[in-house]
Amino acid sequence: MVTPPFLVSAPGKVILFGEHAAVYGKPAIAAAISLRSYLLTTKHEPEFSELVTLEFPDIQLQYSWKIHSLPWDAVPKRSIDTVRPPSELNTTLVEALEHALADVHIPLQRSAALAFLYLYSCLCSPDMPGMTFSVRSTLPIGAGLGSSASVSVCLAAALCLVSGEVAPPEKKGDDDSDLNAANYAGIELIDAWAFLGERCIHGNPSGIDNAVASHGGAVMFQRMTKGNPNVRENIRSFPPLKLLLIDSRQARRTAVQVANVATLLQNYPLVTEPILNGIHAVTDEAYKLLQAPRENCDDAWEGRLRELVRVNHGLLVALGVSHPKLEAIRLAADELEIGETKLTGAGGGGCAITLVKRDIDESRIRGLIERLESHGFEVFETSLGGVGAGCLLPTKSEAAEWEEWEEKLFSLHHMLGLGDREDIQKTVGVGSIDGWAFW
C-alpha cells in the first residue's frame, strides 16, 4: 500500500497501421506516443477526511463525494483467489452509482466520474482516508489519441497503489527476471482495471487503447469473429521514433467513415477486398519489423517502416477515407522531404502523423511546423513507442525532508495551477523529471 502523495502517468496512442481493415477481423497496430496524462494523489486535510475528490481541470470537472455515502453494498464481492477483475462491468454497481452522479450532467464529465467511482468502489473501502485525485494531460482530448484510456490507466494505477493491489514499479534489469516478472504482473492488473474504466466511458472498447497506455511500445490487436478470443501482442523492443502529430482540426465521425467503407465493399467487393487485404499485408510486414532486436533498428530499418507508412496511407486514400486537409498536410511534409505521412484513425479529418527521417535538419522541421500552423493546423512534436505507465514517488517519506522542488512537484495547488501542455510537461513530465519508474 502506497501512502500519498505520488504521481502516476500513462501515454496516449496513435493507430500506426491497419485502420478500417481491423473492422473486418484483420490486425491493426497502435503505438504509444510521448504525450501523456498525469495524476497526482494527495491526502485530504483532517477536516475533509470523509471526502474523496476528483479534479480534472482540462474538462472542468471538480467534484467530491462522501466516502461512506457511496454504494458499498452494491460492490461485487471478490474471491481471495481472484486476482484479475472480470472483463464485464457489474451492472448493479453501475446503476447504484447513478445517485452519486446525479449532479454531474455534462457527458464527458459524467463518463470520467463514473469510471473513477467504479474503480474506486471496487479497489478501495469505506475506511480509506480522504484523498484527492488530480488529473492533468498533455494529450488533446477527443482527438482519437487515446486520452480516455490514458486517464483510465492513471486512475487504475493510482487506486491499485493506494489499495495495495500492486506495488510501485522497480527499475528493471536485463538479468533480473523475478523483478521484471513482478513489474509485468503489476501492469497486467492495472491494464485489466483500466479496461473496466474504458467500459464506463465507451461501452464496448476494443482494449487496444488501454493496452498501449499500460504497456507502452506498440500493440498488435486483432478482433476475432465467431466467438474466438481476440488476439493481442505487446511489442516493446523497438526504440522511440521521432514523430510529428498534426491535428487537422477537421471534425469527423468515425461511424460515417466506417459506413462509407462498408458501402464501398458492398458495391465493389472485387475492388475493395484486395485493398483491405493490402492493408492486412502492410500490417503484417510492420509487425515483423517492429519485433526486430534493437541492434537491428538502423537507418535501413527506419526506411522500410516509413515505406510501409506511405503505402498504408495510399490504400486508405483508395478507400476514400482521407480529406483535403489531410492531403495538404502530407503534401507539405513531402515537399520538405521530412518523412512519410499518413492519416491515423478513422480519417475524414482528425489527425495525421509524420514519421520523421533520422538526423533530419531541425530547421526543416521548424519550417514545416510553421507552415502547417499558418494554415490553422495544430502540430505536436512527439515520439513513437517508448514507456508505458509509470510512477514517481517522493525521495523521502516525510514531507519535512523533501527537497524544495519536491514540495512543488507533489503540491495539489501547484498541480491544478499548471498552464498549458508545455508547462505540465516541464513541471511533472516523463523525460523532464528524474525518478520516474515504469512497470
Side-chain angles (χ1 to χ4, degrees), residues 193-250:
W193 282 109
F195 180 66
L196 292 177
E198 279 283 86
R199 279 197 174 278
C200 291
I201 297 169
H202 294 298
N204 187 31
S206 67
I208 191 170
D209 286 13
N210 52 275
V212 173
S214 298
H215 293 274
V219 170
M220 188 278 286
F221 182 84
Q222 187 171 10
R223 177 173 282 183
M224 306 302 287
T225 56
K226 299 179 181 178
N228 294 318
N230 295 336
V231 176
R232 194 195 81 190
E233 297 286 344
N234 295 323
I235 313 167
R236 302 180 77 172
S237 61
F238 71 96
L241 302 168
K242 189 171 182 62
L243 187 79
L244 292 181
L245 172 66
I246 307 101
D247 188 349
S248 70
R249 292 182 170 172
Q250 174 64 43

Side-chain angles (χ1 to χ4, degrees), residues 404-423:
E404 183 177 345
W405 65 270
E406 287 183 300
E407 291 183 15
K408 182 180 291 187
L409 185 65
F410 295 106
S411 161
L412 173 61
H413 176 75
H414 191 253
M415 182 72 163
L416 297 177
L418 294 176
D420 57 16
R421 296 183 181 101
E422 185 177 343
D423 196 17

Side-chain angles (χ1 to χ4, degrees), residues 4-8 39-43 131-134 158-159 162:
F6 61 85
L7 280 156
V8 293
L39 187 153
L40 173 66
T41 303
T42 53
K43 274 187 177 180
M131 287 178 278
T132 295
F133 298 84
S134 310
L159 292 167
V162 298

Side-chain angles (χ1 to χ4, degrees), residues 137-273:
S137 185
T138 63
L139 281 161
I141 293 171
L145 301 176
S147 59
S148 68
S150 176
V151 170
S152 291
V153 170
C154 284
L155 291 172
L159 292 167
C160 281
L161 287 170
V162 298
S163 64
E165 292 280 330
V166 302
E170 299 287 347
K171 300 289 186 181
K172 300 177 190 177
D174 294 335
D175 57 351
D176 195 340
S177 58
D178 290 340
L179 178 56
N180 292 341
N183 281 352
Y184 186 77
I187 198 57
E188 280 285 284
L189 188 59
I190 290 169
D191 185 15
W193 282 109
F195 180 66
L196 292 177
E198 279 283 86
R199 279 197 174 278
C200 291
I201 297 169
H202 294 298
N204 187 31
S206 67
I208 191 170
D209 286 13
N210 52 275
V212 173
S214 298
H215 293 274
V219 170
M220 188 278 286
F221 182 84
Q222 187 171 10
R223 177 173 282 183
M224 306 302 287
T225 56
K226 299 179 181 178
N228 294 318
N230 295 336
V231 176
R232 194 195 81 190
E233 297 286 344
N234 295 323
I235 313 167
R236 302 180 77 172
S237 61
F238 71 96
L241 302 168
K242 189 171 182 62
L243 187 79
L244 292 181
L245 172 66
I246 307 101
D247 188 349
S248 70
R249 292 182 170 172
Q250 174 64 43
R252 86 283 186 269
R253 291 184 60 201
T254 297
V256 171
Q257 300 305 317
V258 171
N260 289 344
V261 173
T263 300
L264 192 69
L265 180 60
Q266 182 178 9
N267 292 341
Y268 306 101
L270 296 179
V271 175
T272 309
E273 285 181 4

